[in-house]
Amino acid sequence: MTRLLFSFRSSRQRLANLLRHCSKNSLLDQGVQVHAANLKAGFGFDLMLSNDLIDMYAKCGVMDNASLVFDRMIERNVVSWTSLMCGHLQNGNARATLSLFFQMGFSCLKPNEYTFSTNFKACGILNVLEIGMQIHCMSIISGFDGVPVVGNSIVDMYSKCGRINEAAAMFNALPVKNLISWNTMLAGYTIAGQGEKALLWFHRILENGQIPDEYTLTTMLKACSRVGKIREGSMIHGFLITSGFPCSGKAAIAGSLIDLYVKCGNLAAARTVFNQIGEKNVISWSALILGYAQGGNLAEAVELFKQLQNSGMRVDGFVLSSMMGVFADFALVEQGKQMHAYAVKIPSGLDISVSNSIVDMYLKCGLLDEAERHFNKMPTRNVVSWTVMITGYGKHGFGEEAIRLFNQMQLNNIEPDGVSYLATLSACSHSGLIKEGEEYFSQLCRNRWIKPGIEHYACMVDLLGRDGRLKEAKDLIESMPLKPNVGIWQTLLSACRVHGNLQLGKEVGKNLLTLDGENPVNYVMISNIYAEAGYWKEYEQVRELAEAKGLRKEAGRSWVEVNKVVHFFYGGDNTHPKIDKIHEVLKEMEQRMKEELGYIHEVKFALRDIDEESKVENLRVHSEKLAIGLALLHGGWDEPRVIRIFKNLRICGDCHDFIKCLSKIVKVVFVVRDANRFHQFKDGLCSCRDYW
């Protein structure tokens, strides 16, 4: 009898060890075989082995099987519930984690420290502060709030929910503080954009005798890069060297150093760190590649990417997605297509993040059909996939398609998040779908898991403002439970300009300058309202005030790809070698438009108190017109084709009218992507229906 019992226990433990090995190494096929052996041996309802099965399936990403094992259990303990909660969290379903937590509340079981820790993480991910506070109260009542793993998770939850002061208060109340506690607060200040406090916190860590680890140092370097503190970042670099920390051997540290110098505009220092790394990994490669790309040096970025390919190192999904993002931002469709072709050939090209980036690239390059084709072929889609496509439809002015997709996403059991709602509200705004926008905003306000953010309210202000309901838009800002920011007042000011409401515009302008008197965009917007109303004295006063502060708005630029070469133009640019011929083409087009359509310039968009002839000349050299002139010069205008123009700012009214009229007298279709949306000009009409 003793031998039989020993054999039983030995067999049971052996199966448990095998399952834990499969779990640790994500060996799904072997895990399924052990599951079958488990059932064959008569352990189908064994509590310990069932818990191990839940953990194995969760670690292998097969949550349906994990849930099935859980549902069939006759007996469950706190480990059973917590294992399934952890599984859902690790597989990106924080809502399911919290739902299980509340279901567990109806059983006789009490949460343990890992149950609490897991659910605090879920609250932080979902940014559901109220639920986090409820669980915090439960942890206090049960006495777990003082346990380090729970206390640290509470600090992290408050940080991620934007309550850094509450996080600091919780940190101060912790009976035991370890390096994780300190690191959590350091990350909290970094996420909150409080770089100065993060620096002070780093000094506190050192003063309290804590020895920084890799996470501490990478977080600190991120804090410096986010606020442009190159001096402080360089000091940390010096600290790393003098303390003998092996920077070149620590991928995360090296990558963070490169990122710091890149973000602070010192590409030479970034390259020096990169060259000093003995064994370069994908993190260091990607940090430098993206640095060159974001700095506008696309040729060097592409050359480095080729070197990465030739190095034999496996290019991961992050690098592919990042490079695709660069090509998308600059609308480099040929390079994007080449990257797509490359992604198809390597394993990481199958990552869902890469597929999402490919769809986004085609959308931002104006190739809606290609984006739809790739989206429809995706074997799996997550909420990001659907949101990217909804955003694309909205930018192209297909609001009804965006709404259809938003509803379809929910029918496919994908729960929308705050970004999905934002994309849908934006699509409604771009397409003038007022009623639908109000309906989805109300739906969002009733949502248990998501609270409307300032961006959602800004969308509603834009929606109401475009419809001329300026008072309602202002009332919404003043009644919302969030503090108005610069962006939402800018949205209302833009609506005031469109509808010529100078009185409200002046009031909103004062609010803007009170909130952010160092932002040149605010001065430009306010002065433009005065200019369009003919108040040139006030216009000049606002401009002079901005100049006295040394403020300069980002210059408008447009670009076009001709024969696989990208040409950039600024307003009034005369540096292009073919600038004279470009002007000749534009003047020829203007003359034809005047003769055939009676076209005249909308001189009010010149926004300068100068004579009419000078205003016309000023409008003729807008950057998007110069880009169009070059494209027409190469390829003509008598054959049907598509010309794609991209601009970093919003297209002005005169250029919009110019391209509309131009599309009526030539056989060319013009697709223009500005800072707000896409415009497709064809046969004298624009896809935005003059609503942008």
Side-chain angles (χ1 to χ4, degrees), residues 203-283:
H203 290 301
R204 281 190 65 187
I205 290 174
L206 299 177
E207 288 167 2
N208 278 271
Q210 297 287 338
I211 299 173
D213 63 3
E214 190 172 346
Y215 183 85
T216 318
L217 295 163
T218 52
T219 303
M220 200 57 248
L221 289 168
K222 284 177 188 174
C224 292
S225 66
R226 286 189 179 187
V227 293
K229 296 283 185 182
I230 191 167
R231 180 173 170 273
E232 289 79 358
S234 299
M235 288 170 65
I236 294 170
H237 191 180
F239 167 80
L240 288 166
I241 294 169
T242 55
S243 62
F245 205 92
C247 302
S248 59
K250 295 287 185 179
I253 293 283
S256 296
L257 277 169
I258 293 169
D259 184 62
L260 164 75
Y261 289 121
V262 162
K263 294 276 175 60
C264 294
N266 193 340
L267 279 170
R271 192 63 180 257
T272 300
V273 173
F274 178 80
N275 292 337
Q276 289 172 349
I277 300 172
E279 293 186 14
K280 299 174 177 64
N281 69 357
V282 172
I283 296 173

Coordinates of all heavy atoms in Angstrom, one line a residue, residues 203-283:
H203 N 18.8 60.9 -7.3 CA 19.7 61.3 -6.3 C 19.3 60.7 -4.9 O 20.1 60.2 -4.1 CB 19.8 62.8 -6.2 CG 20.5 63.4 -7.4 ND1 21.8 63.0 -7.7 CD2 20.1 64.3 -8.3 CE1 22.2 63.7 -8.8 NE2 21.2 64.5 -9.2
R204 N 18.0 60.7 -4.7 CA 17.4 60.1 -3.5 C 17.8 58.6 -3.4 O 18.1 58.0 -2.3 CB 15.9 60.3 -3.3 CG 15.5 61.7 -2.9 CD 14.0 61.7 -2.6 NE 13.7 60.9 -1.4 CZ 12.4 60.6 -1.0 NH1 11.4 61.2 -1.7 NH2 12.2 59.9 0.0
I205 N 17.6 57.9 -4.5 CA 18.0 56.5 -4.6 C 19.4 56.2 -4.1 O 19.7 55.3 -3.3 CB 17.7 55.9 -6.0 CG1 16.2 55.9 -6.3 CG2 18.3 54.5 -6.2 CD1 15.9 55.5 -7.8
L206 N 20.3 57.1 -4.7 CA 21.7 56.9 -4.3 C 22.0 57.3 -2.9 O 22.7 56.6 -2.2 CB 22.6 57.8 -5.2 CG 22.5 57.5 -6.7 CD1 23.3 58.5 -7.5 CD2 23.0 56.1 -7.0
E207 N 21.3 58.3 -2.4 CA 21.5 58.8 -1.0 C 21.0 57.7 0.0 O 21.5 57.6 1.1 CB 20.7 60.1 -0.7 CG 21.4 61.3 -1.4 CD 20.5 62.5 -1.4 OE1 19.4 62.4 -0.9 OE2 20.9 63.5 -2.0
N208 N 20.0 56.9 -0.4 CA 19.4 55.9 0.5 C 20.2 54.6 0.4 O 19.7 53.6 0.9 CB 17.9 55.7 0.2 CG 17.0 56.8 0.8 OD1 16.6 56.6 2.0 ND2 16.8 57.9 0.1
G209 N 21.3 54.6 -0.3 CA 22.1 53.4 -0.3 C 21.7 52.4 -1.2 O 22.2 51.2 -1.2
Q210 N 20.7 52.7 -2.1 CA 20.3 51.7 -3.1 C 21.2 51.6 -4.2 O 21.7 52.7 -4.7 CB 18.9 52.1 -3.6 CG 17.8 52.1 -2.5 CD 17.4 50.7 -2.1 OE1 17.6 49.7 -2.8 NE2 16.8 50.6 -0.9
I211 N 21.6 50.5 -4.7 CA 22.5 50.3 -5.8 C 21.6 50.2 -7.1 O 20.8 49.3 -7.2 CB 23.4 49.1 -5.6 CG1 24.2 49.2 -4.4 CG2 24.2 48.9 -6.9 CD1 25.0 47.9 -4.0
P212 N 21.7 51.2 -8.0 CA 20.9 51.2 -9.2 C 21.1 49.9 -10.0 O 22.2 49.4 -10.1 CB 21.3 52.4 -10.0 CG 22.1 53.3 -9.0 CD 22.7 52.3 -8.0
D213 N 20.1 49.4 -10.5 CA 20.2 48.3 -11.5 C 20.0 48.8 -12.9 O 19.8 50.0 -13.1 CB 19.2 47.1 -11.1 CG 17.8 47.5 -11.2 OD1 17.5 48.7 -11.6 OD2 16.9 46.7 -10.9
E214 N 19.9 47.8 -13.8 CA 19.7 48.2 -15.2 C 18.4 49.0 -15.5 O 18.4 49.9 -16.2 CB 19.8 46.9 -16.1 CG 19.9 47.1 -17.6 CD 20.1 45.9 -18.3 OE1 20.4 44.8 -17.7 OE2 19.9 45.9 -19.6
Y215 N 17.4 48.6 -14.8 CA 16.1 49.2 -15.0 C 16.2 50.7 -14.5 O 15.6 51.6 -15.1 CB 15.0 48.5 -14.2 CG 13.6 49.0 -14.4 CD1 12.8 48.7 -15.5 CD2 13.1 50.0 -13.5 CE1 11.6 49.2 -15.7 CE2 11.8 50.5 -13.6 CZ 11.1 50.1 -14.7 OH 9.8 50.7 -14.9
T216 N 16.8 50.9 -13.3 CA 17.0 52.2 -12.8 C 17.6 53.1 -13.8 O 17.2 54.3 -14.1 CB 17.8 52.2 -11.5 OG1 17.5 51.1 -10.7 CG2 17.7 53.5 -10.7
L217 N 18.7 52.7 -14.3 CA 19.5 53.5 -15.2 C 18.9 53.7 -16.6 O 18.9 54.9 -17.1 CB 20.9 52.8 -15.4 CG 21.7 52.8 -14.1 CD1 22.9 51.8 -14.2 CD2 22.2 54.1 -13.7
T218 N 18.2 52.7 -17.1 CA 17.5 52.9 -18.4 C 16.3 53.9 -18.2 O 16.1 54.8 -19.0 CB 17.0 51.6 -19.0 OG1 16.2 50.9 -18.0 CG2 18.1 50.7 -19.4
T219 N 15.6 53.8 -17.1 CA 14.5 54.7 -16.8 C 15.0 56.1 -16.6 O 14.4 57.1 -17.2 CB 13.8 54.3 -15.5 OG1 13.3 52.9 -15.6 CG2 12.6 55.2 -15.3
M220 N 16.2 56.3 -16.0 CA 16.7 57.6 -15.8 C 17.1 58.2 -17.1 O 16.9 59.4 -17.3 CB 17.9 57.5 -14.8 CG 18.3 58.8 -14.1 SD 17.0 59.5 -13.2 CE 16.7 60.9 -14.2
L221 N 17.7 57.4 -18.0 CA 18.1 57.9 -19.3 C 16.9 58.3 -20.1 O 16.9 59.3 -20.8 CB 19.0 56.9 -20.0 CG 20.4 56.7 -19.4 CD1 21.0 55.4 -20.0 CD2 21.3 57.9 -19.7
K222 N 15.8 57.5 -20.0 CA 14.6 57.9 -20.7 C 14.0 59.2 -20.2 O 13.6 60.1 -20.9 CB 13.5 56.8 -20.4 CG 13.7 55.6 -21.3 CD 12.7 54.5 -20.9 CE 13.0 53.2 -21.6 NZ 12.1 52.1 -21.1
A223 N 14.1 59.4 -18.8 CA 13.6 60.7 -18.3 C 14.4 61.9 -18.8 O 13.8 62.9 -19.2 CB 13.8 60.6 -16.7
C224 N 15.7 61.7 -18.9 CA 16.6 62.8 -19.5 C 16.2 63.0 -21.0 O 16.2 64.2 -21.4 CB 18.0 62.4 -19.3 SG 18.6 62.4 -17.6
S225 N 16.0 62.0 -21.7 CA 15.8 62.1 -23.2 C 14.4 62.8 -23.4 O 14.3 63.6 -24.3 CB 15.9 60.8 -23.9 OG 14.8 59.9 -23.5
R226 N 13.5 62.5 -22.6 CA 12.1 63.0 -22.7 C 12.1 64.5 -22.5 O 11.3 65.2 -23.1 CB 11.1 62.3 -21.8 CG 10.7 60.9 -22.3 CD 9.6 60.4 -21.5 NE 9.3 59.0 -21.9 CZ 8.2 58.4 -21.5 NH1 7.4 58.9 -20.6 NH2 8.0 57.1 -22.0
V227 N 12.9 65.0 -21.6 CA 12.9 66.5 -21.3 C 14.1 67.2 -21.9 O 14.4 68.4 -21.6 CB 12.8 66.7 -19.8 CG1 11.4 66.3 -19.3 CG2 13.9 66.0 -19.0
G228 N 14.9 66.5 -22.8 CA 16.0 67.1 -23.4 C 17.1 67.5 -22.5 O 17.9 68.4 -22.8
K229 N 17.3 66.7 -21.4 CA 18.4 67.1 -20.5 C 19.7 66.3 -20.9 O 20.1 65.3 -20.2 CB 18.0 66.7 -19.0 CG 16.8 67.5 -18.5 CD 17.2 68.9 -18.1 CE 16.0 69.6 -17.5 NZ 16.4 71.0 -17.1
I230 N 20.3 66.8 -21.9 CA 21.5 66.1 -22.4 C 22.7 66.2 -21.4 O 23.5 65.2 -21.2 CB 22.0 66.6 -23.8 CG1 23.0 65.7 -24.3 CG2 22.5 68.1 -23.7 CD1 23.3 65.9 -25.8
R231 N 22.8 67.3 -20.6 CA 23.9 67.5 -19.7 C 23.7 66.4 -18.5 O 24.7 65.7 -18.2 CB 23.8 68.9 -19.1 CG 24.9 69.2 -18.0 CD 24.9 70.6 -17.6 NE 25.8 70.8 -16.5 CZ 25.4 70.7 -15.2 NH1 24.1 70.4 -14.9 NH2 26.2 70.9 -14.2
E232 N 22.5 66.3 -18.0 CA 22.3 65.4 -16.9 C 22.4 63.9 -17.4 O 23.0 63.1 -16.7 CB 20.8 65.6 -16.3 CG 20.7 66.8 -15.5 CD 20.5 68.1 -16.4 OE1 20.5 68.0 -17.6 OE2 20.3 69.2 -15.8
G233 N 21.9 63.7 -18.7 CA 22.1 62.4 -19.3 C 23.5 62.0 -19.4 O 24.0 60.9 -19.2
S234 N 24.3 63.0 -19.9 CA 25.8 62.8 -20.0 C 26.5 62.5 -18.7 O 27.4 61.7 -18.6 CB 26.4 64.0 -20.7 OG 25.9 64.2 -22.0
M235 N 25.9 63.1 -17.6 CA 26.5 62.9 -16.3 C 26.2 61.4 -15.9 O 27.0 60.8 -15.3 CB 25.9 63.8 -15.3 CG 26.4 65.3 -15.4 SD 25.5 66.5 -14.4 CE 25.9 65.9 -12.8
I236 N 25.0 60.9 -16.2 CA 24.7 59.5 -15.9 C 25.6 58.6 -16.7 O 26.0 57.6 -16.2 CB 23.2 59.3 -16.1 CG1 22.3 60.1 -15.1 CG2 22.9 57.8 -16.0 CD1 20.9 60.0 -15.4
H237 N 25.8 59.0 -18.0 CA 26.7 58.2 -18.8 C 28.1 58.2 -18.1 O 28.7 57.1 -18.1 CB 26.8 58.9 -20.2 CG 27.6 58.1 -21.2 ND1 27.7 58.5 -22.5 CD2 28.2 56.9 -21.1 CE1 28.4 57.6 -23.1 NE2 28.7 56.6 -22.3
G238 N 28.6 59.3 -17.6 CA 29.8 59.4 -16.9 C 29.8 58.5 -15.6 O 30.8 57.8 -15.3
F239 N 28.7 58.5 -14.9 CA 28.5 57.7 -13.7 C 28.6 56.2 -14.1 O 29.3 55.4 -13.3 CB 27.1 58.0 -13.1 CG 26.7 57.0 -12.0 CD1 27.2 57.1 -10.7 CD2 25.8 56.0 -12.3 CE1 26.8 56.1 -9.8 CE2 25.5 55.0 -11.4 CZ 26.0 55.1 -10.1
L240 N 28.1 55.8 -15.2 CA 28.1 54.4 -15.6 C 29.6 54.0 -15.9 O 30.0 52.9 -15.5 CB 27.3 54.3 -16.9 CG 25.8 54.3 -16.8 CD1 25.1 54.5 -18.1 CD2 25.3 53.1 -16.1
I241 N 30.3 54.9 -16.5 CA 31.7 54.6 -16.9 C 32.6 54.5 -15.6 O 33.3 53.6 -15.5 CB 32.3 55.7 -17.9 CG1 31.5 55.6 -19.2 CG2 33.8 55.5 -18.1 CD1 31.8 56.8 -20.1
T242 N 32.4 55.5 -14.7 CA 33.3 55.6 -13.5 C 33.0 54.4 -12.6 O 33.8 54.0 -11.8 CB 33.2 56.9 -12.8 OG1 31.8 57.2 -12.5 CG2 33.7 58.0 -13.7
S243 N 31.7 54.0 -12.6 CA 31.3 52.9 -11.6 C 31.6 51.6 -12.2 O 31.3 50.5 -11.6 CB 29.8 53.1 -11.3 OG 29.0 52.9 -12.5
G244 N 32.1 51.6 -13.4 CA 32.5 50.3 -14.0 C 31.3 49.5 -14.6 O 31.4 48.3 -14.8
F245 N 30.2 50.2 -14.8 CA 29.0 49.5 -15.3 C 29.2 49.1 -16.7 O 29.6 50.0 -17.5 CB 27.7 50.4 -15.2 CG 26.5 49.6 -15.1 CD1 25.9 49.3 -13.9 CD2 25.8 49.2 -16.2 CE1 24.7 48.5 -13.8 CE2 24.6 48.5 -16.2 CZ 24.1 48.2 -14.9
P246 N 29.0 47.9 -17.1 CA 29.3 47.4 -18.5 C 28.3 47.9 -19.5 O 27.5 47.1 -20.0 CB 29.3 45.9 -18.4 CG 28.4 45.6 -17.3 CD 28.5 46.8 -16.3
C247 N 28.4 49.2 -19.9 CA 27.4 49.8 -20.8 C 27.3 49.0 -22.1 O 26.3 48.7 -22.6 CB 27.7 51.2 -21.1 SG 27.8 52.3 -19.7
S248 N 28.5 48.7 -22.7 CA 28.5 48.1 -24.0 C 28.0 46.7 -24.0 O 27.6 46.2 -25.0 CB 30.0 48.1 -24.5 OG 30.8 47.4 -23.7
G249 N 28.0 46.1 -22.8 CA 27.4 44.7 -22.7 C 26.0 44.6 -22.3 O 25.4 43.6 -22.2
K250 N 25.4 45.8 -22.0 CA 24.0 45.8 -21.5 C 23.2 46.5 -22.6 O 23.2 47.7 -22.9 CB 23.8 46.6 -20.2 CG 24.5 46.0 -19.0 CD 23.8 44.7 -18.6 CE 24.4 44.1 -17.3 NZ 23.7 43.0 -16.8
A251 N 22.4 45.6 -23.3 CA 21.7 46.1 -24.5 C 20.7 47.3 -24.2 O 20.7 48.3 -24.9 CB 20.9 45.0 -25.1
A252 N 20.0 47.1 -23.1 CA 19.0 48.2 -22.7 C 19.7 49.5 -22.4 O 19.2 50.6 -22.8 CB 18.1 47.7 -21.6
I253 N 20.8 49.4 -21.7 CA 21.5 50.6 -21.3 C 22.1 51.3 -22.6 O 22.0 52.5 -22.8 CB 22.7 50.3 -20.3 CG1 22.2 49.8 -19.0 CG2 23.6 51.5 -20.2 CD1 21.7 50.9 -18.1
A254 N 22.7 50.5 -23.4 CA 23.3 51.1 -24.6 C 22.3 51.7 -25.5 O 22.4 52.8 -26.0 CB 24.1 50.0 -25.4
G255 N 21.1 51.0 -25.6 CA 20.0 51.5 -26.5 C 19.5 52.8 -25.9 O 19.2 53.7 -26.6
S256 N 19.4 52.9 -24.6 CA 18.9 54.1 -23.9 C 19.9 55.3 -24.1 O 19.4 56.4 -24.2 CB 18.6 53.8 -22.4 OG 17.6 52.9 -22.3
L257 N 21.2 55.0 -24.0 CA 22.2 56.0 -24.2 C 22.1 56.6 -25.7 O 22.1 57.8 -25.9 CB 23.6 55.5 -24.0 CG 24.0 55.4 -22.5 CD1 25.3 54.6 -22.4 CD2 24.2 56.8 -22.0
I258 N 22.0 55.7 -26.6 CA 21.8 56.1 -28.0 C 20.6 56.9 -28.2 O 20.6 58.0 -28.8 CB 21.8 54.9 -29.0 CG1 23.2 54.2 -28.9 CG2 21.5 55.3 -30.4 CD1 23.2 52.8 -29.6
D259 N 19.5 56.5 -27.6 CA 18.2 57.2 -27.7 C 18.3 58.6 -27.0 O 17.7 59.5 -27.6 CB 17.1 56.4 -27.0 CG 15.7 57.0 -27.1 OD1 15.2 57.1 -28.3 OD2 15.1 57.4 -26.1
L260 N 19.0 58.7 -25.9 CA 19.2 60.0 -25.2 C 19.9 61.0 -26.2 O 19.4 62.1 -26.4 CB 20.0 59.8 -24.0 CG 20.7 61.1 -23.4 CD1 19.6 61.9 -22.7 CD2 21.8 60.7 -22.5
Y261 N 21.0 60.5 -26.8 CA 21.7 61.5 -27.6 C 21.0 61.8 -28.9 O 21.0 62.9 -29.4 CB 23.1 60.9 -27.9 CG 24.1 60.9 -26.7 CD1 24.6 59.7 -26.2 CD2 24.4 62.1 -26.1 CE1 25.5 59.7 -25.1 CE2 25.2 62.1 -25.0 CZ 25.7 60.9 -24.5 OH 26.6 60.9 -23.4
V262 N 20.2 60.8 -29.4 CA 19.4 61.0 -30.6 C 18.3 62.1 -30.3 O 18.1 63.0 -31.0 CB 18.7 59.7 -31.0 CG1 17.6 60.0 -32.0 CG2 19.8 58.8 -31.7
K263 N 17.6 61.9 -29.1 CA 16.5 62.8 -28.8 C 17.0 64.2 -28.5 O 16.3 65.2 -28.7 CB 15.8 62.2 -27.6 CG 15.0 60.9 -27.8 CD 13.6 61.1 -28.4 CE 13.0 59.8 -28.8 NZ 12.8 58.9 -27.6
C264 N 18.2 64.3 -28.0 CA 18.8 65.6 -27.7 C 19.5 66.2 -28.9 O 20.2 67.2 -28.8 CB 19.7 65.5 -26.5 SG 18.9 65.1 -25.0
G265 N 19.4 65.5 -30.1 CA 20.0 66.1 -31.3 C 21.5 65.9 -31.5 O 22.1 66.5 -32.4
N266 N 22.1 65.0 -30.7 CA 23.5 64.8 -30.8 C 23.8 63.5 -31.4 O 24.1 62.5 -30.8 CB 24.2 64.9 -29.4 CG 25.7 65.0 -29.5 OD1 26.3 64.6 -30.6 ND2 26.3 65.5 -28.5
L267 N 23.6 63.4 -32.8 CA 23.7 62.1 -33.5 C 25.2 61.6 -33.5 O 25.4 60.4 -33.5 CB 23.2 62.2 -34.9 CG 21.7 62.1 -35.1 CD1 21.3 62.5 -36.5 CD2 21.2 60.7 -34.8
A268 N 26.1 62.6 -33.4 CA 27.5 62.2 -33.4 C 27.8 61.4 -32.1 O 28.5 60.3 -32.2 CB 28.4 63.4 -33.5
A269 N 27.3 61.8 -31.0 CA 27.6 61.1 -29.7 C 26.8 59.8 -29.8 O 27.4 58.8 -29.3 CB 27.1 61.9 -28.6
A270 N 25.6 59.8 -30.3 CA 24.9 58.5 -30.5 C 25.7 57.5 -31.3 O 25.7 56.3 -30.9 CB 23.5 58.8 -31.1
R271 N 26.2 58.0 -32.4 CA 27.0 57.1 -33.3 C 28.3 56.6 -32.5 O 28.7 55.4 -32.7 CB 27.4 57.8 -34.5 CG 27.9 56.9 -35.7 CD 26.9 55.9 -36.1 NE 27.4 55.1 -37.2 CZ 27.0 55.2 -38.4 NH1 26.3 56.2 -38.8 NH2 27.5 54.3 -39.3
T272 N 28.9 57.4 -31.7 CA 30.1 57.0 -31.0 C 29.7 55.9 -30.0 O 30.5 54.9 -29.9 CB 30.6 58.2 -30.2 OG1 31.0 59.3 -31.1 CG2 31.9 57.8 -29.4
V273 N 28.6 56.0 -29.3 CA 28.2 55.0 -28.3 C 27.9 53.7 -29.1 O 28.3 52.6 -28.7 CB 26.9 55.4 -27.6 CG1 26.4 54.2 -26.7 CG2 27.2 56.6 -26.7
F274 N 27.2 53.8 -30.2 CA 26.9 52.7 -31.1 C 28.2 52.0 -31.5 O 28.3 50.7 -31.5 CB 26.1 53.2 -32.3 CG 25.7 52.1 -33.3 CD1 24.7 51.2 -33.0 CD2 26.5 51.9 -34.4 CE1 24.3 50.2 -33.9 CE2 26.1 50.9 -35.3 CZ 25.0 50.1 -35.1
N275 N 29.2 52.7 -32.0 CA 30.4 52.1 -32.5 C 31.2 51.4 -31.4 O 32.0 50.5 -31.7 CB 31.3 53.2 -33.2 CG 30.7 53.7 -34.4 OD1 29.8 53.0 -35.1 ND2 31.0 54.9 -34.8
Q276 N 31.0 51.9 -30.1 CA 31.7 51.3 -29.0 C 31.1 50.0 -28.5 O 31.8 49.2 -27.7 CB 31.8 52.3 -27.8 CG 32.7 53.5 -28.1 CD 32.6 54.5 -27.0 OE1 31.7 54.5 -26.2 NE2 33.5 55.5 -27.1
I277 N 29.9 49.7 -28.9 CA 29.3 48.5 -28.5 C 29.9 47.3 -29.1 O 30.0 47.2 -30.4 CB 27.8 48.5 -28.8 CG1 27.1 49.7 -28.1 CG2 27.1 47.2 -28.4 CD1 25.7 49.9 -28.5
G278 N 30.4 46.3 -28.3 CA 31.1 45.2 -28.9 C 30.1 44.3 -29.7 O 30.3 44.0 -30.9
E279 N 29.1 43.8 -29.0 CA 28.1 43.0 -29.7 C 26.8 43.7 -29.8 O 26.0 43.8 -28.8 CB 27.9 41.6 -28.9 CG 29.1 40.7 -29.0 CD 28.9 39.4 -28.3 OE1 27.7 39.1 -28.1 OE2 29.8 38.7 -28.0
K280 N 26.6 44.3 -30.9 CA 25.4 45.1 -31.1 C 24.2 44.2 -31.2 O 24.2 43.2 -31.8 CB 25.5 46.0 -32.4 CG 26.7 46.9 -32.4 CD 26.9 47.6 -33.7 CE 28.0 48.6 -33.7 NZ 29.3 48.0 -33.5
N281 N 23.1 44.7 -30.6 CA 21.8 44.0 -30.8 C 20.8 44.8 -31.5 O 21.0 46.0 -31.8 CB 21.3 43.4 -29.4 CG 20.8 44.6 -28.5 OD1 20.9 45.8 -28.9 ND2 20.3 44.2 -27.4
V282 N 19.6 44.3 -31.6 CA 18.5 45.0 -32.4 C 18.2 46.3 -31.7 O 17.8 47.3 -32.4 CB 17.3 44.0 -32.5 CG1 16.2 44.8 -33.1 CG2 17.7 42.9 -33.4
I283 N 18.2 46.4 -30.4 CA 17.8 47.6 -29.7 C 18.7 48.7 -30.1 O 18.2 49.8 -30.4 CB 17.8 47.4 -28.2 CG1 16.8 46.3 -27.7 CG2 17.6 48.7 -27.4 CD1 16.9 45.9 -26.3

